[in-house]
Amino acid sequence: MKLVTIAQGSSGTSGAMLRSGEILNFSRAAAAGTLEAWIPADLSAILAAGPQGLALVRAAVANVEEGDDELRRRLRHALALTAPDTPLLSPLPAPRLLLAAGLAYKSHLAEMAGTPTPKQPTAFMKSPHSVTGPGAAVALPSEAGEHVDYEGELAVVFGSECHRVTPDQAMACVAGYMAANDISARDWIPAVVGATQPWEARHSWEVNIMGKQFDGFTPLGPVLLTADEVPDPGRLEITTRLNGKPMQHAPVSDLIFELGQTISHFSRWYTFRPGDVLLTGTPAGVGVGRKPPVFMRAGDVVEVEITGIGTLRNTIVARSA
């Protein structure tokens, strides 16, 4: 099942992408007094309802998928079933917790010469205000717009509380997956590489992480693909394209640590709750790792495509004065 947040009202409303690509608006499709009328506008609230909530949503989707032409005609007339190009927000426009793993793919470490393999998963926080959705324009920051890079990633969405779990328990906490782009301003990389003292390196790295926090620097979407449709996340493949040219391509199985290990490790400190998001790192092919480096410019179109999830597409624009 592919869940979406439709761009409607101030914060969006929940829906699903059907096999045809059409978008089902849950609030408009539900008849008054029915169980479907309960379906919340916020996907996080649906996930928080647990298996029963997802089962109700799944039944609502199946009712339309298996319904006749007359049902779909009525839904289209009521604007409850709209075209595939219906504007969407991030499936989770404002996640409570947004954690991003780094140094996660074997191929990425290989391209960043001299980077040792970590002994355990590593991560940093991203601000929820950096989240944007499919089709959104991403503005280059005026103070750091010359070295803005792409990082195609698989995003994990939690569907239940997850704290102090084993690797075997971890995957049961996952509700689904999204495509993500951990856009990064790299202006501070030279200071990191050129640091000669430990504290100098630490301070430079902290500023480098700030370069990932700008508004719009975490596109997520286009859908939340539920975990029941992904029996083996390692078989998913990530492809990042810049202006149609493939820049990254790798299977998720190239991760240094399996997803269950990574989630288990971070759950020692964090308590993940329904709707929280974990970006799982990026494979080889980032712009800063190329010779010569490749950075994004105003007018560029960047796409992250993941098997079964679809393509997350954003346009880079100049920041208005």
Side-chain angles (χ1 to χ4, degrees):
M1 184 167 55
K2 294 180 176 180
L3 300 177
V4 300
T5 293
I6 302 162
Q8 176 184 308
S10 60
S11 56
T13 191
S14 60
M17 181 181 290
L18 304 185
R19 289 192 293 267
S20 65
E22 289 181 292
I23 303 299
L24 176 65
N25 185 313
F26 293 143
S27 63
R28 290 178 177 171
T34 63
L35 283 175
E36 287 79 6
W38 161 87
I39 298 176
D42 183 349
L43 289 188
S44 292
I46 294 175
L47 299 179
Q52 295 86 352
L54 280 176
L56 178 58
V57 168
R58 190 171 285 109
V61 172
N63 181 57
V64 179
E65 292 277 27
E66 298 165 9
D68 58 20
D69 291 343
E70 175 60 21
L71 171 62
R72 285 188 285 273
R73 186 197 66 77
R74 285 191 282 105
L75 290 173
R76 291 185 186 108
H77 181 74
L79 301 181
L81 189 61
T82 54
D85 61 356
T86 297
L88 302 176
L89 303 178
S90 162
L92 296 159
R96 184 192 69 95
L97 177 62
L98 180 58
L99 188 66
L103 305 177
Y105 278 79
K106 301 165 191 171
S107 60
H108 181 46
L109 263 62
E111 75 175 339
M112 307 303 288
T115 304
T117 301
K119 296 180 180 179
Q120 59 191 21
T122 64
F124 51 90
M125 300 292 293
K126 292 202 75 173
S127 174
H129 72 67
S130 69
V131 172
T132 194
V138 176
L140 296 169
S142 55
E143 65 273 38
E146 294 299 315
H147 303 94
V148 175
D149 205 349
Y150 51 83
E151 291 190 15
E153 307 198 9
L154 176 70
V156 167
V157 178
F158 290 89
S160 61
E161 184 169 300
C162 180
H163 183 56
R164 295 183 181 273
V165 298
T166 67
D168 289 339
Q169 296 168 331
M171 298 308 292
C173 300
V174 175
Y177 304 91
M178 304 180 291
N181 194 344
D182 178 19
I183 298 176
S184 307
R186 307 286 197 190
D187 297 59
W188 300 276
I189 287 290
V192 175
V193 175
T196 58
Q197 300 295 326
W199 279 103
E200 182 184 4
R202 177 177 173 179
H203 290 157
S204 299
W205 183 251
E206 287 179 353
V207 178
N208 176 60
I209 295 302
M210 296 298 182
K212 294 172 173 282
Q213 311 298 335
F214 291 104
D215 287 357
F217 268 32
T218 314
L220 298 173
V223 305
L224 190 168
L225 179 66
T226 53
D228 59 295
E229 297 200 20
V230 188
D232 181 4
R235 296 178 66 88
L236 299 178
E237 295 191 354
I238 301 174
T239 301
T240 305
R241 291 182 291 269
L242 186 61
N243 299 322
K245 179 181 178 181
M247 307 298 283
Q248 295 179 287
H249 181 77
V252 173
S253 59
D254 187 47
L255 283 168
I256 296 168
F257 303 100
E258 293 183 353
L259 289 182
Q261 293 176 286
T262 298
I263 293 169
S264 172
H265 177 77
F266 293 135
S267 79
R268 294 169 59 190
W269 295 277
Y270 298 97
T271 298
F272 298 104
R273 293 197 171 95
D276 289 347
V277 178
L278 170 65
L279 307 188
T280 56
T282 198
V286 295
V288 74
R290 293 176 173 269
K291 298 187 185 344
V294 175
F295 298 113
M296 297 189 291
R297 299 288 182 250
D300 286 350
V301 176
V302 60
E303 299 171 305
V304 179
E305 181 179 359
I306 300 182
T307 316
I309 295 173
T311 301
L312 173 66
R313 181 179 297 105
N314 296 91
T315 301
I316 308 301
V317 300
R319 183 173 295 280
S320 59

